[in-house]
Amino acid sequence: SNPAAMAASATAAHGAAPTAEDAFEAAMRANSAAPPMSLEDARALVAGSAASPELVAALSLEKMGIHTAGPVYVNLSFEQLNAHCIVNDEVAWTGDGVAVVDTGKFTGRSPHDKFFVEREPSASHIDWGSINQPTTEPVFDALHGKALAHLSDASAGNADPDAGRGGRPLYVFLGYAGHSTTRRLRVCIVTTYAWQHWFSSNMFVRPEAAEVLPLASADKDFVIFNACGIKDEEWAAHGLKSETFVVFDLERRMAVIGDTRYGGEMKKGIFSVVNYLLPRAGHLSMHCAANADKETGDTALFFGLSGTGKTTLSTDPARLLIGDDEHVWDDEGIFNVEGGCYAKTKGLRAEFEPDIVAAIRGPAALLENVALKPGGVADYDDCGKTQNGRVSYPLEHIESRVPSSTGKHPRQVIFLTADAFGVLPPVSRLTEPDRAMYWFMSGFTAKVAGTERGVTKPEPTFSHSFGSPFFPLHAADYAELLGGKLRDHGASVYLVNSGWTGGPCGGGGHRMPIKVTRACVAAIVSGALVSAEY
């Protein structure tokens, strides 16, 4: 089967012209290289990969509201995931055997479609507004019920998504958010696409094989039901913004997703939960990258919104990577929330980002919305589909890393900002914790094209904690935790402009060369700028 041909046929049957999305999918398929294994071998792997009856029983899917008589696949290996994607025809392939998925109309998060159930006790703690939007328990129940009906297969083969998942397999990922054995959350992600299961396997902390059965029977700290194949046709009556929904019930520890296949909704959804639970226990959750000195283990943090350089600057061959996006600072030091990295691919070059390029390899790396040239050559300069092309891969793909994904209390804290107006200098030092708290709360930067729906060019924005869409509590709650950590541990704080210099964007300025920003960061982490004049 060929999804591109099927999509073109379907649109023709309904009298609709093929869309740009259809054209991208068709070109990607046409330029795809051969899969890394034959269809026959893939089918054999799939046939032997279903979860055991004991494991399925331990999951208690019926108690979750999912009724399935078909096979259930739990914590598949990367080789098995390759096989499932081949059999399901979900991806294209590069000539190096790396999978490439088209996530459809959503190539970034849809923050305006994210809601929380307004219910105590969480209602008294959430900072309600345009970011943390309220909805009601009946609305959640309606969407939850619709999602469960979709994930169930009572009417397998029925093309109506409301009546069942049309015979699609059911994939369940069991793992953790967090590398701390005392702070981590047990997470469960239910999907109908093998590539989304693959994404979850890359981005969350994968358990050892012996842990999977106990995890299946244990209470889950949070469950995401990803029913991306359905829409909310009653969205207006439900008080939502569109047919798309990403809705959380913090009291029942679950979320439902509909009408968006973008994997980042699952990743940032769990991060939002971490940002609600752990700070209320006195632990600072952070939208930042972290790395450590190879000799001393001294740790540096890199705060910043997507596109400001967290992944690029923290993935430094001269230092050891702890993680590239989500961390927690507790009484023992810091730990990575994730099991992998999620790097932007626009303009990717081995010259500037050798570790990231080297990490894009099978069988685990998964490219998203990246154009292919004939022969399956990834074209990181072709942003016709989106400016937000991505690749997910497990931390193990980074040779220069801290195996435990944990670190000491930080010596340096770096705030990255992409100043679209070219006003800020390359480096500023924030000498007092209160000044650091101010910049942390204001979070000045520019949104980068593609990371959010509708953003096509840099826009100035103020995003507290350098990631306000992911933080449900008030900005001051996180800033006060940061200020306390800085006072207790004496970390130096710097503001680094990775944006424009020489003038504003589009008005004579140019983006700060990555080599210059790397040199600034190297001087910071070496301690050379502690006594410099400012």
Side-chain angles (χ1 to χ4, degrees):
S1 63
N2 186 317
M6 292 169 65
S9 175
T11 52
H14 288 82
T19 66
E21 296 160 20
D22 297 330
F24 177 85
E25 172 83 5
M28 188 180 77
R29 295 287 180 160
N31 292 332
S32 176
M37 68 181 78
S38 69
L39 181 58
E40 182 180 1
D41 288 343
R43 284 173 174 162
L45 266 179
V46 168
S49 64
S52 68
E54 180 185 16
L55 182 53
V56 173
L59 274 173
S60 299
L61 291 172
E62 291 78 10
K63 291 183 178 179
M64 294 184 189
I66 298 174
H67 303 280
T68 177
V72 178
Y73 301 98
V74 181
N75 285 48
L76 296 176
S77 70
F78 290 116
E79 185 181 22
Q80 290 169 334
L81 285 164
N82 277 242
H84 276 259
C85 283
I86 292 169
V87 172
N88 299 347
D89 201 13
E90 293 183 12
V91 301
W93 300 91
T94 72
D96 297 322
V98 177
V100 189
V101 66
D102 178 0
T103 65
K105 64 180 179 180
F106 287 92
T107 59
R109 292 173 294 101
S110 188
H112 301 300
D113 294 309
K114 180 181 176 182
F115 293 82
F116 292 89
V117 173
E118 188 175 11
R119 183 194 343 201
E120 296 297 343
S122 62
S124 296
H125 300 287
I126 292 177
D127 183 27
W128 299 107
S130 59
I131 292 176
N132 301 310
Q133 303 175 100
T135 188
T136 65
E137 187 175 350
V139 168
F140 181 89
D141 288 344
L143 298 176
H144 182 220
K146 189 170 185 176
L148 294 179
H150 176 71
L151 294 170
S152 297
D153 63 1
S155 51
N158 192 323
D160 180 3
D162 291 336
R165 63 180 188 273
R168 292 195 65 85
L170 193 70
Y171 298 94
V172 180
F173 173 81
L174 299 168
Y176 304 105
H179 284 268
S180 166
T181 56
T182 56
R183 315 278 186 228
R184 66 189 182 187
L185 304 182
R186 295 183 296 272
V187 299
C188 174
I189 314 293
V190 184
T191 68
T192 59
Y193 283 91
W195 79 259
Q196 291 177 337
H197 184 70
W198 187 341
F199 178 87
S200 300
S201 299
N202 274 342
M203 296 315 305
F204 300 109
V205 181
R206 297 170 299 283
E208 298 293 335
E211 297 178 82
V212 175
L213 184 59
L215 271 175
S217 58
D219 291 337
K220 315 299 185 293
D221 291 312
F222 210 84
V223 180
I224 289 182
F225 299 100
N226 191 330
C228 61
I230 64 173
K231 301 179 179 181
D232 181 17
E233 293 85 356
E234 300 177 75
W235 62 271
H238 286 157
L240 305 185
K241 299 294 181 64
S242 74
E243 294 178 321
T244 306
F245 56 91
V246 183
V247 186
F248 295 78
D249 188 331
L250 292 172
E251 274 63 47
R252 285 196 280 178
R253 301 292 183 97
M254 63 178 70
V256 290
I257 295 174
D259 193 41
T260 170
R261 300 203 307 267
Y262 183 64
E265 295 288 9
M266 298 181 289
K267 164 184 155 66
K268 289 304 187 187
I270 292 296
F271 187 45
S272 296
V273 175
V274 169
N275 293 333
Y276 171 77
L277 294 173
L278 293 193
R280 294 184 59 229
H283 312 301
L284 176 61
S285 54
M286 306 172 292
H287 185 219
C288 71
N291 64 23
D293 185 273
K294 288 184 176 181
E295 300 298 327
T296 66
D298 288 345
T299 301
L301 302 182
F302 300 76
F303 285 87
L305 285 172
S306 297
T308 56
K310 293 191 314 300
T311 297
T312 296
L313 295 168
S314 61
T315 309
D316 183 348
R319 291 172 65 84
L320 299 175
L321 180 71
I322 297 174
D324 78 328
D325 195 48
E326 302 171 7
H327 292 81
V328 172
W329 190 348
D330 64 9
D331 297 336
E332 300 169 7
I334 67 161
F335 65 86
N336 189 356
V337 172
E338 301 183 290
C341 299
Y342 195 37
K344 290 176 70 71
T345 57
K346 179 183 177 181
L348 194 61
R349 295 285 188 280
E351 176 186 359
F352 302 119
E353 298 165 301
D355 282 3
I356 295 175
V357 171
I360 304 176
R361 62 180 189 270
L366 178 63
L367 289 163
E368 292 180 13
N369 303 314
V370 172
L372 293 179
K373 297 177 182 178
V377 177
D379 188 351
Y380 300 127
D381 294 323
D382 184 344
C383 297
K385 169 76 174 182
T386 177
Q387 300 284 324
N388 195 37
R390 294 271 181 169
V391 60
S392 65
Y393 49 84
L395 285 167
E396 290 80 5
H397 276 210
I398 298 295
E399 182 178 349
S400 183
R401 66 183 179 88
V402 177
S404 67
S405 297
T406 63
K408 299 177 180 179
H409 294 291
R411 291 287 301 275
Q412 295 92 18
V413 175
I414 298 170
F415 295 160
L416 296 166
T417 179
D419 173 20
F421 296 97
V423 174
L424 293 176
V427 181
S428 308
R429 187 176 178 194
L430 309 177
T431 53
E432 299 294 334
D434 287 351
R435 295 183 182 181
M437 291 168 66
Y438 169 80
W439 280 98
F440 188 69
M441 289 187 69
S442 62
F444 170 69
T445 188
K447 289 181 181 178
V448 178
T451 53
E452 289 186 11
R453 189 182 183 190
V455 178
T456 58
K457 60 182 180 180
E459 299 175 359
T461 186
F462 294 86
S463 185
H464 79 77
S465 310
F466 292 96
S468 59
F470 323 128
F471 290 88
L473 306 180
H474 193 278
D477 294 337
Y478 304 104
E480 288 170 2
L481 283 171
L482 175 67
K485 295 292 187 184
L486 295 177
R487 293 186 186 97
D488 290 345
H489 303 288
S492 300
V493 185
Y494 299 86
L495 182 68
V496 173
N497 178 19
S498 62
W500 282 259
T501 186
C505 175
H510 62 274
R511 191 73 188 258
M512 199 78 67
I514 186 63
K515 287 184 176 180
V516 172
T517 305
R518 280 198 184 279
C520 293
V521 169
I524 289 170
V525 298
S526 71
L529 296 188
V530 171
S531 58
E533 294 184 7
Y534 291 87

